[in-house]
């Protein structure tokens, strides 16, 4: 079939070229429409459930809200993990599904199961809400709104009602989260002393405020020929109307709300805040929907923001503080430049080897065409353009042109020999034979390359979601190269090569390398034992060195925006957290390496972090100068954090933190999880683990999750006393909630904007225990009694937050690694914890984070590589039809890895999953070269040449093709090796292995393989 395709392409050569031009134009049109992102989606489908329960303590939320929701969700088809966090007033449950689950199906399943928990939730708890669909790296933009004269309450009103609504209308936007500012609220702030003076209860005030803001439907006034709508207009339209609302009457005199309370427009209680470069600000985070194109959504949002800014007050300044597309642009630009530079290097390598513009045109046409066809195949496979798919194409640059090189070089040589032959054959027959001679070996090499790369597709989890698209990109380019070699290359050979000048001698570069190679080849034939001994010694050395390498999951991403957290001791106020963040802002303000520092403290409505007010996020942009010494800049940042007493930092990039969270649920590279039932015991064991980890070198950002008892004011109801007055605990709880937490009793409409109407005590009364004790309560007899008669008010303690995973409580000790490889750090932690920490019965320790994914990926690669090795051996045998020849190629392959091992040793001695993928790539190229050489040997054996002549003639004939494929494959990756930067973090270690390995692989193939034939020739001749 392959022969028929080649024959058809030669016969219809102009039709093939025309079709190629049309296809190329179509591919360019397709590329423009393909989605663009920094990475493939690396998180499994997740559904987040948030339940607001204002005022409830964490232990109450865990028992009354979180556990019923967890019970309903557990057992849902496809669920792999359920994580939850219960903090003051908020429960967040995250449900993680299998990778192959459709996100919308997952949300439907959770919605159905969630219905079962509604009846179990206590009154006063808001309906559980499923968060909008997004992804871990779904935050595409952040803006900081600051003003000179406009009050922050007005700025927040504009953000909530103008900005947010407009942005949510942008296609692809799923959520807008706002931090900071003052949320506008109509407030009835009751004075307890006036309650006493007017003999009014808080319950009566609450009822009066609610009843003051009501419209009544009056039905219709119908006449024989018309009808009119009847409305009772009672909604409040001004603060004065609310002040004049009546509570009751005393001796014919009305008691209004203004008589017993300060009725005002004020700020709702804050659980989060924001600032930008030391100035108070409203910070908004804009999240996109999954499956949407980040650059497209970003541009639409920015266009919408331009429209919005035109209508804002002149003193409000809008500053973009995070733009994910910047990293995408840098990454894609860097990889694209590496692709272009690699292609230029390939062209420069081919010019001296070929020294024929016709041959050069054939080879250089195959390169971009193979890459373009590869992109088209990626599109058909549902892949978008990102650093990994483009990286796969970049790694395949050499392979993409290999087939064309072998074809064109062989056809050119045959045409030259035919021209000077005494009996020349028809030119098109020579072209066909030239393509056909190498077709089986080249096609077999392509199949082997695909099989060699198959271990990448055995990767699971985060590592699979990252590297499989790269593998698809690489394989798409290789397959496209084969398709090109079967169709376009023969057509171009038939059009260009027969009619050009065919010199009798080869180009000078080819002759130079042959002169250089010939003595090496003859040496290897005469002294096979020495060559084989050196090869075995290098293999043994590589085998000894390899286990000593450090291990990491992935190299650190070169992100320009850092998303750092600062954690203060639980129980501190929001103002204290703000002060710590602002102190750091002041410390960094004069440093040009930090253009801006943005603080997001506490929690914002809708934010998935169930954070307390003791947690702050510090978003820091690094300048271009800082990026040149990113490690030193981050060290400076750590030094500034260290100056803040009582602050535990966690420093890292946006994508790095999100990837860590997907891996372990914690935004750190190392997470030691302690599971057990009792919070106090968990903290004790956690503290022991934390103390052990302090002794491990290379640990930074170490912190024990602050799950500790914090001070509370506990109001304990006296049930017998309450029953004597006919009071229920529920009624007393409602009064406490209204007095101290505030109760929203209605919503006031202002120009299509709604604002809460809340009733609670004045601020000074809420802070005074005696005032709380003397709060009047209505009894059934009409008598009013102080709260102290039915309750005791005292200080107590309770947990600040309770985290759970897979139906068990847990506490986490987290850390990052610096200056040392991750695997050795974790191994030392494990050894020391096993020796020094002994959890009681019912408690156990798990280790999670990047190292867990690295271990899993390494195991999968080694197992699947062993299976692939067996499959390659079978395919190799089918190609060369000889067991001894197959054995020679397979024995030679491990020697190809020697250069890769030494290149890793020279560049730091640390292996990542990217490095292992590099070894897989190297293995494939070495297999290809070995097959081409052995196949040519067998062709010579078939015509009856003696062994020495076969080895010399066969090696010399294939020298140019092997050198060209090796040089193009290796040096085409040089731009990825030499230059670092965003987008190249994963591709660089991979390229280092391939570049270093191909030089030794090529040398060993050209020298060791002939030596093997000399040593074991009697077994190898077919």
């Amino acid at each position: 079939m392959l022969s028929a395709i080649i024959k058809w392409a030669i016969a219809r050569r102009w039709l093939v070229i025309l079709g190629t031009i049309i296809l190329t134009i179509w591919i360019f049109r397709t590329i423009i429409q393909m989605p663009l992102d920094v990475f493939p989606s690396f998180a499994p489908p997740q559904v987040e459930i948030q339940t607001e329960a204002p005022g409830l303590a964490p232990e109450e939320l865990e028992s009354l809200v979180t556990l019923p929701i967890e019970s309903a969700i557990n057992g849902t088809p496809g669920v792999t993990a359920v994580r939850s966090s219960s903090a003051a007033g908020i429960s967040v449950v995250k449900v993680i599904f299998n990778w192959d689950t459709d996100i919308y199906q997952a949300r439907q399943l959770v919605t159905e199961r969630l219905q079962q928990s509604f009846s179990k939730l206590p009154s006063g708890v808001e309906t559980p809400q499923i968060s909008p669909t997004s992804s871990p790296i779904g935050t595409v933009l952040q803006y900081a709104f600051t003003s000179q004269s406009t009050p922050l309450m007005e700025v927040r009103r504009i953000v909530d009602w103008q900005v947010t609504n407009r942005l949510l209308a942008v296609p692809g936007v799923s959520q807008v989260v706002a931090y900071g500012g003052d949320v506008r609220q109509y407030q009835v702030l009751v004075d307890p002393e006036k309650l006493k003076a007017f003999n009014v209860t808080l319950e009566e005030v609450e009822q009066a405020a609610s009843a003051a803001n009501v419209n009544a439907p009056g039905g219709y006034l119908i006449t024989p020929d018309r009808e009119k709508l009847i409305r009772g207009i009672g909604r409040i339209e001004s603060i004065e109307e609310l002040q004049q609302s009546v509570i009751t009457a005393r001796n014919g005199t009305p008691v209004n709300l203004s008589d017993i309370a300060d009725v005002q427009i004020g700020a709702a209680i804050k659980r989060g805040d924001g600032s930008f470069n030391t100035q108070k600000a409203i910070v908004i985070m804009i999240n996109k929907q999954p499956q949407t194109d980040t650059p497209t959504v970003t541009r639409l949002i920015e266009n919408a923001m331009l429209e919005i800014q035109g209508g804002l007050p002149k003193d409000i300044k809008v500053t973009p503080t995070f733009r994910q597309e910047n990293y995408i642009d840098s990454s894609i630009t860097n990889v694209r430049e590496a692709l272009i530079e690699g292609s230029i290097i390939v062209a420069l390598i081919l010019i001296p080897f070929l020294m024929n513009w016709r041959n050069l045109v054939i080879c250089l046409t195959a390169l971009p065409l193979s890459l373009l066809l590869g992109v088209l195949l990626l599109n058909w496979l549902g892949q978008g353009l990102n650093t990994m798919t483009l990286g796969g194409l970049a790694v395949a640059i050499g392979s993409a042109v290999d087939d064309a090189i072998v074809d064109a070089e062989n056809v050119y040589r045959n045409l030259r020999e035919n021209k000077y032959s005494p009996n020349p054959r028809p030119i098109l027959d020579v072209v066909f034979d030239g393509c056909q001679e190498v077709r089986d070996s080249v096609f077999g090499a392509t199949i082997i390359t695909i099989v060699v790369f198959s271990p990448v597709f055995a990767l699971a989890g985060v590592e699979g979601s990252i590297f499989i698209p790269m593998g698809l990109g690489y394989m798409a380019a290789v397959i496209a190269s084969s398709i090109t070699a079967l169709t376009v290359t023969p057509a171009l050979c038939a059009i260009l090569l027969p009619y050009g000048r065919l010199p009798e001698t080869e180009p000078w570069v080819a002759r130079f390398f042959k002169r250089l190679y010939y003595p090496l080849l003859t040496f290897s034939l005469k002294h096979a034992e020495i060559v084989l001994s050196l090869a075995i010694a290098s293999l043994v050395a590589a085998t000894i060195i390899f286990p000593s390498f450090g291990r990491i999951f992935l190299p650190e991403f070169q992100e320009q925006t850092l998303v750092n957290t600062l954690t203060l001791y639980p129980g501190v106020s929001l103002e204290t957290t703000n002060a710590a963040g602002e102190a750091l802002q002041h410390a960094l303000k004069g440093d040009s390496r930090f253009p801006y520092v943005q603080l997001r403290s506490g929690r914002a409505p809708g934010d998935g972090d169930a954070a307390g007010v003791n947690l702050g996020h510090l978003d820091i942009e690094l300048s271009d100068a800082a990026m040149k010494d990113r490690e030193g800049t981050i060290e400076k940042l750590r030094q500034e954090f260290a100056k803040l007493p009582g602050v535990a930092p966690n420093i890292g990039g946006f994508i790095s933190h999100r990837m860590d969270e997907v891996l372990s649920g914690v935004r750190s590279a190392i997470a030691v999880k302690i599971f057990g039932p009792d919070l106090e015991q968990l903290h004790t064991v956690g503290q022991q683990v934390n103390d052990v980890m302090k002794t491990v070198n290379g640990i930074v950002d170490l912190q024990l999750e602050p799950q500790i008892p914090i001070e509370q004011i506990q109001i304990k109801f006296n049930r017998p006393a309450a029953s004597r007055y006919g009071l229920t605990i529920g009624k007393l709880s409602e009064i406490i909630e209204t007095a101290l937490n505030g109760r929203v009793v209605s919503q006031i409409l202002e120009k299509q904007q709604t604002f809460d109407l809340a009733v609670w005590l004045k601020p000074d009364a809420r802070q005074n225990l005696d005032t709380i004790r003397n709060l009047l309560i209505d009894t059934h007899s009409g008598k009013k009694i102080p709260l102290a008669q039915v309750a005791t008010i005292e200080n107590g303690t309770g947990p600040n937050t309770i985290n759970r995973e897979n139906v068990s409580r847990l506490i986490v000790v987290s850390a990052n690694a610096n200056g040392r490889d991750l695997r050795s750090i974790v191994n030392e932690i494990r050894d020391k914890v096993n020796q020094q920490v002994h959890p009681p019965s019912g408690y156990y320790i798990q280790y999670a984070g990047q190292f867990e994914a690295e271990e899993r990926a390494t195991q999968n690669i080694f197992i699947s590589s062993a299976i692939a090795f067996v499959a390659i051996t079978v395919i190799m045998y089918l190609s060369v039809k000889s067991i001894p020849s197959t054995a020679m190629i397979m024995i030679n392959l491990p020697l190809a890895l020697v250069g890769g091992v030494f290149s890793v040793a020279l560049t730091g001695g640390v292996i990542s999953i990217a490095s292992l993928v590099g070894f897989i790539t190297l293995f494939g190229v070495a297999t290809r070269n070995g097959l081409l050489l052995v196949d040519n040997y067998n062709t010579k054996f078939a015509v009856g040449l003696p062994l020495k002549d076969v080895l010399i003639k066969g090696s010399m004939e294939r020298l140019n093709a092997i050198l060209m494929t090796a040089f193009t494959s290796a040096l085409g990756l040089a731009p990825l090796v030499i230059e670092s930067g965003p987008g190249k973090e994963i591709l660089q270690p991979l390229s280092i292995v391939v570049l270093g390995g191909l030089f030794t692989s090529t040398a060993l193939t050209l020298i060791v393989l002939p030596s093997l034939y000399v040593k074991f020739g009697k077994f190898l001749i077919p």
Side-chain angles (χ1 to χ4, degrees), residues 77-232:
V79 170
T80 59
V82 178
R83 297 174 182 144
S84 67
S85 183
S86 304
I90 179 74
S91 163
V92 177
V93 179
K94 290 185 179 180
V95 187
I96 296 96
F97 284 82
N98 287 326
W99 286 84
D100 57 353
T101 306
D102 178 76
I103 181 61
Y104 296 104
Q105 181 189 9
R107 290 173 68 84
Q108 179 62 34
L109 290 170
V110 169
T111 301
E112 292 173 358
R113 289 296 188 104
L114 200 55
Q115 304 293 328
Q116 302 173 15
S117 67
F118 287 174
S119 61
K120 301 177 183 178
L121 301 181
S123 60
V125 172
E126 297 180 11
T127 303
Q129 300 291 323
I130 295 179
S131 298
T133 308
S134 188
S135 68
I137 55 171
T139 302
V140 292
L141 280 164
Q142 292 183 21
Y143 289 96
F145 290 74
T146 54
S147 70
Q148 298 299 322
S149 57
T150 303
L152 282 180
M153 183 183 293
E154 177 61 15
V155 178
R156 179 61 188 254
R157 184 190 67 79
I158 292 171
V159 167
D160 285 346
W161 291 101
Q162 296 180 25
V163 178
T164 300
N165 290 341
R166 176 65 183 88
L167 293 179
L168 287 174
V170 173
V173 172
S174 66
Q175 187 181 32
V176 179
V177 177
Y179 282 84
D182 296 319
V183 177
R184 183 182 176 91
Q185 187 180 63
Y186 282 76
Q187 298 175 338
V188 179
L189 303 178
V190 179
D191 186 335
E193 295 300 324
K194 291 183 179 179
L195 285 179
K196 276 186 183 180
F198 285 95
N199 197 26
V200 173
T201 64
L202 191 60
E203 187 178 7
E204 291 175 317
V205 175
E206 184 182 336
Q207 292 169 353
S210 177
N213 187 47
V214 178
N215 276 5
Y220 298 92
L221 178 63
I222 301 174
T223 63
D225 57 344
R226 299 184 67 182
E227 72 173 24
K228 296 180 181 178
L229 181 66
I230 302 173
R231 297 171 59 203

Side-chain angles (χ1 to χ4, degrees), residues 28 72 79 275 297 329 343 366 375 657-658 719 722 860 964 968 992 999 1012:
F28 276 114
V79 170
S275 62
V297 174
D329 287 343
S343 301
V375 172
H657 274 334
R658 299 301 183 186
R719 292 180 183 273
N860 285 340
M964 280 192 284
T968 53
I992 287 172
F999 283 108
L1012 285 169

